Amino acid sequence: MSDQTEAPAKPRSSVGRVLMGILIFQLGLGGLLVVGDMQGLRLPSFGPNVPRLTEPVRPGDQRRTFRPDRDRPTVQPARDPGELPDRLVLSRDSDAVYRLEGGIRAGDAERLIDLIEAADPTPETLIVQSQGGSVSDALALGRHIRAEGIKTQMLSGEYCYSACPYLLAAGISRDIHDDASVGVHQHYFGENTFLPAGFAVEDIQRGQAEVMTYLNDMGIDPLVMQHALSTPPNEIYVLLPEELEAYNFSPSDQ
């Protein structure tokens, strides 16, 4: 009985630690941005000799280099999509099941919302696969997917990286095959900025707050962001099936 009464306090403590970690990270990043503005420095990658996605992922060894035009997961897909398009494409798979594939670009949310609303029959399930892209478009499209009561799914050997997990999270239920690959990393804001560093840090803070609010609204544990924040944009942290369950991407009771 004592275990049951103490359990609710743990998530709040964990979230508090994550928020503190985010604050420390952003303060450090702000300092680096200021130095970079003054001296033209580029932020370094973290961790030496990070293997490519062609290397198997094991517990505790989950960070891989990631270039969308080059890197693919090691598992063999059930359906080889070839090169994914640069922008999201909606195509009918069967009945009310559709595929949503490709890079997420600025303006894709509005465009895909129109396509989903015009689709006949109305989509009930979206099979998602994407190398990622625009975070703001992924969040906007994800909120529409949730509002429409659409399920999301990932098939064996297919992947969902960077901003794509926000689309995956939007499903009213999420069916993720154990051999699917879901990965997160820091959001990429570009190597150069024409804004003062203080404005850049403010944008980062606002963006992280929006992402964490979105994840919470979708029923995903925001603690997943600890992996994203510690993984630079040119790498990807691949979530294991047990992590996807722990963070509620694939809850065992759905």
Side-chain angles (χ1 to χ4, degrees):
M1 181 68 77
S2 59
D3 290 342
Q4 293 177 347
T5 57
E6 293 175 1
K10 294 181 180 178
R12 291 195 292 270
S13 177
S14 299
V15 170
R17 288 196 297 271
V18 170
L19 290 173
M20 179 60 70
I22 291 172
L23 176 60
I24 293 171
F25 165 79
Q26 290 171 338
L27 290 173
L29 180 59
L32 288 173
L33 284 170
V34 171
V35 173
D37 278 354
M38 293 186 298
Q39 301 183 15
L41 298 179
R42 296 173 62 183
L43 295 181
S45 177
F46 301 98
N49 302 321
V50 176
R52 291 177 59 177
L53 273 168
T54 51
E55 297 295 324
V57 174
R58 301 179 180 87
D61 176 29
Q62 295 162 245
R63 274 175 37 186
R64 296 291 180 268
T65 58
F66 179 55
R67 273 180 38 188
D69 61 339
R70 179 194 69 185
D71 298 322
R72 296 289 185 273
T74 56
V75 290
Q76 294 298 315
R79 182 194 71 94
D80 185 356
E83 291 295 322
L84 292 182
D86 290 336
R87 302 192 68 172
L88 285 175
V89 172
L90 181 71
S91 59
R92 187 179 174 190
D93 186 80
S94 61
D95 298 327
V97 178
Y98 289 75
R99 297 193 67 97
L100 185 60
E101 295 182 301
I104 308 169
R105 300 290 175 256
D108 276 355
E110 183 178 0
R111 181 173 61 86
L112 264 297
I113 287 172
D114 289 342
L115 290 175
I116 289 172
E117 290 181 341
D120 185 20
T122 300
E124 296 179 2
T125 300
L126 289 174
I127 301 171
V128 297
Q129 181 168 219
S130 173
Q131 60 270 47
S134 169
V135 173
S136 59
D137 281 81
L139 299 183
L141 180 54
R143 289 196 180 280
H144 181 78
I145 291 171
R146 174 59 63 90
E148 292 297 308
I150 300 173
K151 304 173 185 177
T152 54
Q153 182 179 9
M154 285 194 67
L155 303 183
S156 172
E158 301 191 343
Y159 60 95
C160 181
Y161 291 160
S162 186
C164 176
Y166 304 137
L167 299 179
L168 178 64
I172 58 169
S173 68
R174 299 171 288 275
D175 181 8
I176 307 171
H177 195 281
D178 283 347
D179 288 333
S181 186
V182 181
V184 296
H185 63 183
Q186 296 169 10
H187 302 317
Y188 182 65
F189 294 93
E191 294 182 4
N192 300 308
T193 177
F194 296 100
L195 294 174
F199 288 103
V201 173
E202 183 179 345
D203 287 343
I204 292 170
Q205 291 174 330
R206 185 184 299 111
Q208 295 294 356
E210 183 179 359
V211 166
M212 294 185 73
T213 300
Y214 174 88
L215 291 173
N216 186 68
D217 290 346
M218 297 298 140
I220 303 298
D221 189 342
L223 280 172
V224 70
M225 291 300 293
Q226 64 185 307
H227 304 297
L229 290 173
S230 62
T231 305
N234 62 338
E235 298 174 14
I236 202 78
Y237 180 94
V238 180
L239 294 161
L240 299 172
E242 53 265 35
E243 290 176 316
L244 291 170
E245 182 174 341
Y247 296 125
N248 216 37
F249 275 94
S250 54
S252 57
D253 59 346
Q254 72 173 10

